[in-house]
Amino acid sequence: RRNVAVMTSGGDAPGMNANVRAIIRTAIFSGCKAFAIYEGYEGLVAGGKKFIREMGWEDVRGWLCHGGTNIGTARSQRFREREGRLQACKNLIDAGIDALIVCGGDGSLTGADLFRSEWPELIKELHHRGDILEEKFAKHKHLNICGTVGSIDNDMASTDATIGAFSSLARICQAIDYIDATANSHSRAFIVEVMGRHCGWLALMAGIATCADYILIPEKPASSQEWQDQMCSIIKKRRDRGRRKTIVIVAEGAIALDLSPITSKDVLDVLVDRLGLDTRITTLGHVQRGGTAVAFDRMLATMQGVEAVKAVLECTPETPSPMIAIDENKIVRRSLMEAVKITKSVATAIENKDFKHAMELRDTDFVE
Ligand code: F6P
């Protein structure tokens, strides 16, 4: 009988609760004991019954449609240190857990894979210190890990969608629809700043879905002169044709060709100085992460939760840690480390100003 634990980590995302629910119930259905680790890696390091709790079927009732994550999340500093991971190893063994599913972004999943690869060393050290007895040492030689990707940013390679991205996108579009009315009334320009960290997916998709006038994203930097001229010419043409409102979407990670950030204030100055538009900035902030999950995220999170449990139960010590992805509408297993590696290489390509390669890696060449 296996003991499977689930944890959410990093920024919360709508659909995480649906994922946790599916994991808990699939684990129980498969004859395992199910556990939830509260407060992400912080809870894993803290350990004990407060943070590592056995969960029953009824404990997750109604979670499918709850926003955020009911088991809490954190960006843990302590888990980044080896000492923290050693403590986390002991806490898992004390609780009898032998498989861990982490729902989070690339940082959280990298941490999970590192933990798995260090596990044999960590457990040896604990055994050597006398912190765990022979029987437990023999029983917990390996930790099976699986990642499900929960992040509104949709910035993970190897999967078409991360859990929460479509909910966040829906929220952004709804907000822009609201802004449209007031922009139209006053014939104003609005700069809408959206989240996404170093990824422009939310900004780009929201721009397409709301017919924004201009979109600035990290993957397609331009010189100041270039983006300003292009933006002004498009907006002027549209205004000349009678359009009363102007919407410019700025991804929070938008950058110019020299890699300096393009801020909403930079855009405002251009719209005011060059086009004389009455302009306001709306930073959507955490409203984009809150609220309930859209149907797609509930389905994605549920199907991935089921697959994640199957994956940890089938994994052998030799299997590379899997990450559950969606690829062309199919739920599939991918190598977690490979996905993290490609994700990180996008950032490197941008740092090296190889934007074309960054876009190829992101698979967003249609941005052109
Ligand atoms: O990764 C999710 C995300 O919402 C990003 O889009 C954003 O940059 C960041 O988290 C905000 O983090 P915090 O909630 O810690 O301010």
Side-chain angles (χ1 to χ4, degrees):
R1 182 164 152 126
R2 305 286 291 273
N3 294 337
V4 179
V6 58
M7 181 176 97
T8 52
S9 174
D12 62 287
M16 279 184 163
N17 281 320
N19 194 235
V20 170
R21 170 184 173 272
I23 290 165
I24 300 282
R25 290 194 167 175
T26 308
I28 295 172
F29 182 76
S30 313
C32 304
K33 272 192 183 179
F35 291 81
I37 296 171
Y38 280 69
E39 315 307 337
Y41 287 116
E42 274 300 297
L44 196 57
V45 176
K49 288 212 168 6
K50 180 171 174 213
F51 294 104
I52 304 182
R53 300 188 208 162
E54 188 176 345
M55 303 288 278
W57 191 270
E58 308 302 338
D59 290 330
V60 290
R61 178 185 289 140
W63 286 26
L64 186 59
C65 57
H66 291 181
T69 163
N70 292 346
I71 60 172
T73 183
R75 301 193 201 277
S76 170
Q77 197 47 50
R78 288 199 288 168
F79 190 76
R80 283 173 206 213
E81 316 290 330
R82 192 171 184 282
E83 201 48 43
R85 294 195 291 276
L86 196 63
Q87 187 57 47
C89 174
K90 179 168 183 327
N91 293 338
L92 281 181
I93 293 170
D94 284 348
I97 291 164
D98 40 33
L100 176 64
I101 300 169
V102 180
C103 178
D106 62 336
S108 306
L109 300 189
T110 311
D113 195 68
L114 171 68
F115 190 43
R116 182 199 176 182
S117 62
E118 277 182 352
W119 184 270
E121 288 306 312
L122 297 175
I123 187 166
K124 245 188 242 163
E125 196 172 325
L126 289 170
H127 183 236
H128 188 69
R129 281 191 196 176
D131 283 350
I132 51 164
L133 301 176
E134 191 59 41
E135 189 202 341
K136 287 201 168 172
F137 177 59
K139 193 163 172 256
H140 289 273
K141 285 258 161 65
H142 302 282
L143 175 73
N144 278 355
I145 290 263
C146 176
T148 56
V149 199
S151 168
I152 62 162
D153 300 338
N154 207 6
D155 56 351
M156 184 66 117
S158 306
T159 186
D160 293 343
T162 57
I163 295 167
F166 277 93
S167 302
S168 179
L169 177 61
R171 206 86 64 236
I172 294 168
C173 291
Q174 197 178 25
I176 295 176
D177 289 347
Y178 289 161
I179 289 169
D180 263 7
T182 178
N184 205 46
S185 308
H186 289 262
S187 192
R188 274 180 177 156
F190 274 81
I191 297 149
V192 182
E193 188 180 310
V194 304
M195 282 186 169
R197 215 179 279 272
H198 305 297
C199 180
W201 187 87
L202 282 173
L204 182 62
M205 296 306 150
I208 294 170
T210 60
C211 187
D213 294 81
Y214 203 73
I215 310 163
L216 289 143
I217 57 170
E219 293 86 347
K220 196 174 187 309
S223 71
S224 298
Q225 190 68 43
E226 203 185 332
W227 73 258
Q228 291 176 15
D229 287 352
Q230 190 185 45
M231 179 179 75
C232 289
S233 124
I234 290 171
I235 292 172
K236 184 168 181 318
K237 213 183 292 168
R238 287 179 162 199
R239 287 263 168 183
D240 289 347
R241 286 204 300 255
R243 189 168 158 97
R244 286 175 56 82
K245 61 173 189 200
T246 297
I247 304 285
V248 176
I249 302 182
V250 184
E252 65 176 348
I255 44 173
L257 210 49
D258 62 359
L259 304 188
S260 62
I262 300 175
T263 65
S264 298
K265 175 72 171 61
D266 296 334
V267 181
L268 179 132
D269 289 343
V270 177
L271 295 180
V272 172
D273 297 344
R274 289 185 50 175
L275 297 176
L277 290 173
D278 185 9
T279 307
R280 298 287 187 275
I281 294 173
T282 300
T283 303
L284 292 182
H286 288 77
V287 79
Q288 296 162 89
R289 248 171 45 192
T292 57
V294 296
F296 176 79
D297 276 327
R298 297 179 197 193
M299 293 189 303
L300 182 68
T302 301
M303 293 187 295
Q304 293 201 349
V306 172
E307 185 63 16
V309 175
K310 284 188 190 163
V312 283
L313 295 183
E314 283 168 20
C315 265
T316 67
E318 290 73 40
T319 327
S321 302
M323 182 191 94
I324 310 302
I326 181 163
D327 186 8
E328 298 191 348
N329 236 8
K330 292 198 174 52
I331 302 297
V332 292
R333 294 178 200 173
R334 296 278 181 252
S335 152
L336 195 161
M337 262 345 270
E338 191 58 27
V340 169
K341 206 168 104 195
I342 304 172
T343 306
K344 292 206 184 317
S345 59
V346 177
T348 313
I350 291 178
E351 272 161 28
N352 295 335
K353 301 193 180 182
D354 192 352
F355 305 119
K356 192 165 182 300
H357 186 46
M359 280 209 289
E360 280 162 8
L361 290 167
R362 277 253 203 270
D363 209 8
T364 51
D365 39 333
F366 64 92
V367 176
E368 289 295 336

